[in-house]
Amino acid sequence: MFGDDTWLRLFPDIFTETDGTSSFFVTDTVEVDANVTRHVRPELERGGWDVTIFHYLGLDHIGHLAGPDSSLMKPKQEEMDHVVQTVHEIVTKQDAQRQIEDPNAKPTLFVLLGDHAMNEIGNHGGNSHLETSTVFVFMGQGIHGQPIADQGKNALSALLTREVPQINLVPTLALLFGVPIPKNNLGLPLADLIRGYPDEERLWLLQLAAHQIYGVVQANDGDTSDIDIDASSKTPLHCDKEQDAASQSLRCEYMQALSAHRRFVDSESAKAAEMAAVAESEYYRFMEHANAHLSRTFSGYDLKAMATGIALFGVVVLLLVGLYQSYSSGGSGGGIISYKTKEIKVSLPSILLLVTYLISVQSSSLIEEEHQFWYHWVQTMLLLRMITSKSFSVGLRSFAQMCLFRVVRAWNQTGQKWTGETDIRYRLNNSHTRLMWILVVVSFAFFGICAGWVHKSA
């Protein structure tokens, strides 16, 4: 194990040879990778290992420090390209030598993918398209990709024409290497990688994958019965999705796939290819529907209970604010909720504020951008005060506050969605450094004078 020493802390007695580097020095983007690269060629050429891990940190550090548009990003990506090229060259050379010694030796499968990507500011962990979209490449003898034409910068984008779920990697590799699929995996075998198998073997692989997913369906619904594969009917079945429960409908679709598979086995050679295509289509239909159903089941929320809780929360907040404002203003009616003799007068903007805020906290994406909510509400309240005020000075002050608040908002982009957008801070740091320092000095001087004046007045 070479690289991030988190592996060594988690599994201290697993690895025979190690050279760990700390992942906490985020500003180190050079030595943290150079210390790994120096082990790549010697370790791969030496052999004698079952699993070797080269854990690089530099690219992730650059993303968190300066985002994907950093000037450090392209050189680091080129460095990683050379590492991949080195690994591929060593593996190809070893495959050729092994096949000379043993003509029946199998070639190595090289899978290149990322566990995550990054958004506009280099962060990851969310569910945005930028964070969850990574390159997924299979390389090796017998794998024929699309030809790369001389298209310059568009060469890679011309190849990346398909998008597949990352969880499909596990069942695909398990079937290719003849090991069991993890029992809770919901992925589907990648059709492109098993298409080269004869019809009999390909359908057998799909049957194994479908059987594993049906086991997950059974585990989540005790009423779903077993299916006797050997006794499956040759007659096409009709599944009624409108009448049957979801799990029963999936059971019927699985039986349809088994039935189509049985018809292929018993078919004449002239119709074998057609029957194989039908069976393959039925297997994939069942697995896709089962994947969608189980994904909804695992990530489902009780929306009714959530709405009830939010409503009760809103009522409690409204009452507490009303009581607090009533007591703090001595019952004179100066708070958010104004108490008169026998009636309650509620401020309409206050109600709108509470209602819209309760709506905004129902989504994690809106919570990440909560500051946007307050930006717009503050401007709205200042605009209302400017419009309704009968005093010219109050209206002028409100307008000035709106202008200053807009400058503050544009000064530094925050949150997740628009953080990568150009702001005033970015322009000052990159093009107007002298003006930036002048503003900093003036700001400190201004606040110092104001603080001294307030202290003197007190």
Side-chain angles (χ1 to χ4, degrees), residues 252-266:
C252 182
E253 289 185 0
Y254 182 36
M255 292 180 65
Q256 279 184 325
L258 293 174
S259 176
H261 193 170
R262 174 62 66 87
R263 293 196 301 274
F264 160 76
V265 172
D266 297 337

Side-chain angles (χ1 to χ4, degrees), residues 331-334 337-345:
S332 60
I337 298 182
S338 303
Y339 287 87
K340 296 298 181 182
T341 53
K342 292 185 179 181
E343 62 179 356
I344 301 177
K345 294 183 178 179

